[in-house]
Amino acid sequence: MDRGTTSEARAAMYSRNRLKLGLFGANCSSGRAVTMVPERWSGSWADCLRLAQMADDAGIEFMLPIGRWKGYGGDTDYQGATFETVTWACGLLAATRRLTVFGTVHAPLIPPLIAAKEFVTADHIGEGRFGLNIVCGWNEGEFEMFGATLRDHESRYDYAQEWLDVIRRAWSEEDDFDFAGRFIQLKGVRAKPKPYGGTRPVIMNAGASPTGQAFAIRNCDALFSNIANGISFEETTGHVKNVQALARRGGREIDVYTVGVVTCRKTAREAEDYWRHAIVDNADWRAVDNILAMKNVTPEALGAEEFHRFRNHQANGMGGLPLVGDPDRVAGQLAQLSAAGLTGIAVSFVNYLDELPFFCAEVLPRLARLGLRETI
Ligand SMILES: Cc1cc2nc3c(=O)[nH]c(=O)nc-3n(C[C@H](O)[C@H](O)[C@H](O)COP(=O)(O)O)c2cc1C
């Protein structure tokens, strides 16, 4: 598909694959695995660059960074070292040919016009391959660091709506314009150039609440939903259908993606053993408990049993869907997600660079045989 030509081509990330694949969280030290194993992800620039080029060559569609400003402490200072995501995306876009690279941006922390110009810059570097992941924020400690206040939940999305409205106008309007919102007032706005190729970057959001989902349905090309472990096939299908029906009612189309954590080895036994070793026996439990406490998930609030369940889930990729097994099983699980209507999945590994080659060599051909991806 030609670069930058249509919004549909961008939303499809220039790929005809029925199941799109991305890598999630590589801009942060430890990535998404709250583990102490020494091979955990460095998050260094050299490793990110090698990973992006490996993913690009393998036909992986996208890389999705995490907007994180402050580590979670514990024995590893989990996600303590993080690259700012738009500048990270610029570097990766310059060094790749096909990959869509997202910036994950906290709307309340960056003035909308600076953000709009940054996104356009990244988009020109990548010739139409930049994507925007909007986050509204939830972590008070991070906001305090910026001298910013975390608004109440509903107002966060009201603010994000104005912020995005400004950006879309800056991307599209040829003439100067004023903006008079509840939160944002601007005069004589002029922004050139426009995004690459006369279209605009693909926009996603990961709202989970009804307000968050409604925001995505109104504004985004893609909604990222956490499909929790244990949720049935029917529930997942129902969720996707519901989101898409709501979008169509508003005259829009939306794709639904999810996040997963892959542990794939030659045999199921090897995969399960490594998963237990990295995610249970060597979890950074102090960091896990810090994260949960920030979200008010405590034994007192939830009861011991439910807390225990949450705790295990959090150590595993911050709550992503575990895809653990041999290549047949992992490909089968991915095929199930596709059958449930999901457009794609962003996955993480304990060490992306060490584990991606086996995943690409063994799982991608199986997905091709299942008709979900083309062979490269
Ligand atoms: C795939 C995915 C990616 C997310 N990325 C980030 C992120 O990078 N930074 C962040 O602060 N929150 C992130 N979140 C949290 C969401 O933006 C959102 O705050 C959370 O899902 C709560 O949803 P709600 O605002 O609708 O209640 C992510 C969530 C998901 C499922």
Side-chain angles (χ1 to χ4, degrees):
M1 273 185 234
D2 288 340
R3 295 267 182 80
T5 44
T6 63
S7 304
E8 291 75 25
R10 279 187 177 236
M13 301 183 198
Y14 308 113
S15 143
R16 290 189 188 83
N17 291 330
R18 271 171 55 206
L19 181 71
K20 317 241 186 263
L21 294 172
L23 299 174
F24 186 27
N27 66 310
C28 300
S29 58
S30 294
R32 298 202 8 106
V34 197
T35 177
M36 299 197 291
V37 295
E39 67 274 24
R40 67 184 181 271
W41 183 239
S42 73
S44 72
W45 176 249
D47 282 353
C48 287
L49 186 59
R50 274 178 62 209
L51 179 67
Q53 290 174 331
M54 187 187 279
D56 202 38
D57 290 342
I60 299 285
E61 276 83 2
F62 66 99
M63 285 182 73
L64 177 63
I66 298 174
R68 174 78 52 246
W69 302 100
K70 197 172 194 175
Y72 290 108
D75 293 316
T76 57
D77 190 17
Y78 176 64
Q79 293 188 342
T82 59
F83 283 118
E84 187 284 320
T85 66
V86 180
T87 41
W88 179 84
C90 286
L92 297 184
L93 287 164
T96 50
R97 294 163 297 143
R98 288 188 286 224
L99 202 60
T100 290
V101 186
F102 283 87
T104 295
V105 179
H106 283 86
L109 299 183
I110 306 186
L113 271 185
I114 294 179
K117 293 283 281 189
E118 285 183 354
F119 305 155
V120 166
T121 308
D123 201 43
H124 280 251
I125 293 172
E127 297 182 331
R129 292 180 292 124
F130 177 73
L132 168 62
N133 173 20
I134 303 172
V135 289
C136 296
W138 59 269
N139 186 337
E140 204 148 5
E142 286 192 331
F143 272 56
E144 279 171 358
M145 210 165 77
F146 287 81
T149 345
L150 191 60
R151 295 184 176 87
D152 69 80
H153 188 266
E154 299 302 294
S155 305
R156 264 175 242 170
Y157 283 99
D158 293 342
Y159 178 85
Q161 187 65 56
E162 286 190 13
W163 185 85
L164 184 60
D165 289 344
V166 170
I167 288 172
R168 292 183 76 147
R169 289 184 67 180
W171 281 351
S172 60
E173 290 194 20
E174 289 304 329
D175 297 333
D176 293 6
F177 68 89
D178 296 343
F179 188 91
R182 189 172 129 213
F183 305 99
I184 302 172
Q185 292 88 34
L186 309 170
K187 284 244 183 294
V189 175
R190 184 180 305 168
K192 293 175 188 170
K194 303 302 179 195
Y196 185 82
T199 53
R200 62 156 176 85
V202 56
I203 302 175
M204 63 151 283
N205 168 263
S209 60
T211 313
Q213 287 192 22
F215 176 86
I217 287 165
R218 265 197 322 277
N219 296 293
C220 297
D221 305 297
L223 168 69
F224 271 70
S225 289
N226 240 327
I227 308 290
N229 200 17
I231 284 192
S232 71
F233 178 77
E234 287 71 26
E235 279 170 292
T236 306
T237 314
H239 168 70
V240 175
K241 279 207 174 114
N242 180 42
V243 166
Q244 293 183 331
L246 288 169
R248 283 195 193 114
R249 219 176 283 163
R252 306 190 68 256
E253 294 290 331
I254 192 163
D255 292 324
V256 184
Y257 286 71
T258 193
V259 286
V261 188
V262 175
T263 313
C264 186
R265 298 291 186 273
K266 264 196 219 99
T267 65
R269 176 71 192 272
E270 266 180 84
E272 281 154 20
D273 284 351
Y274 185 73
W275 182 86
R276 194 167 308 103
H277 168 71
I279 302 303
V280 183
D281 300 343
N282 287 290
D284 183 348
W285 291 115
R286 288 205 305 133
V288 169
D289 289 340
N290 288 344
I291 298 164
L292 292 178
M294 280 179 202
K295 298 183 171 181
N296 275 335
V297 178
T298 58
E300 294 75 35
L302 289 191
E305 201 177 309
E306 185 67 358
F307 175 73
H308 190 66
R309 204 180 61 75
F310 253 86
R311 204 170 177 248
N312 287 338
H313 197 45
Q314 192 75 33
N316 177 59
M318 301 283 284
L321 190 65
L323 303 164
V324 184
D326 60 12
D328 281 335
R329 179 165 160 75
V330 171
Q333 285 178 295
L334 290 170
Q336 277 270 312
L337 294 172
S338 172
L342 290 160
T343 301
I345 181 165
V347 299
S348 55
F349 300 89
V350 170
N351 184 311
Y352 302 78
L353 267 178
D354 290 350
E355 297 175 64
L356 188 62
F358 182 73
F359 178 84
C360 291
E362 297 296 333
V363 178
L364 295 190
R366 285 169 168 80
L367 294 175
R369 287 199 287 278
L370 292 166
L372 296 174
R373 294 183 62 84
E374 291 173 350
T375 35
I376 268 232

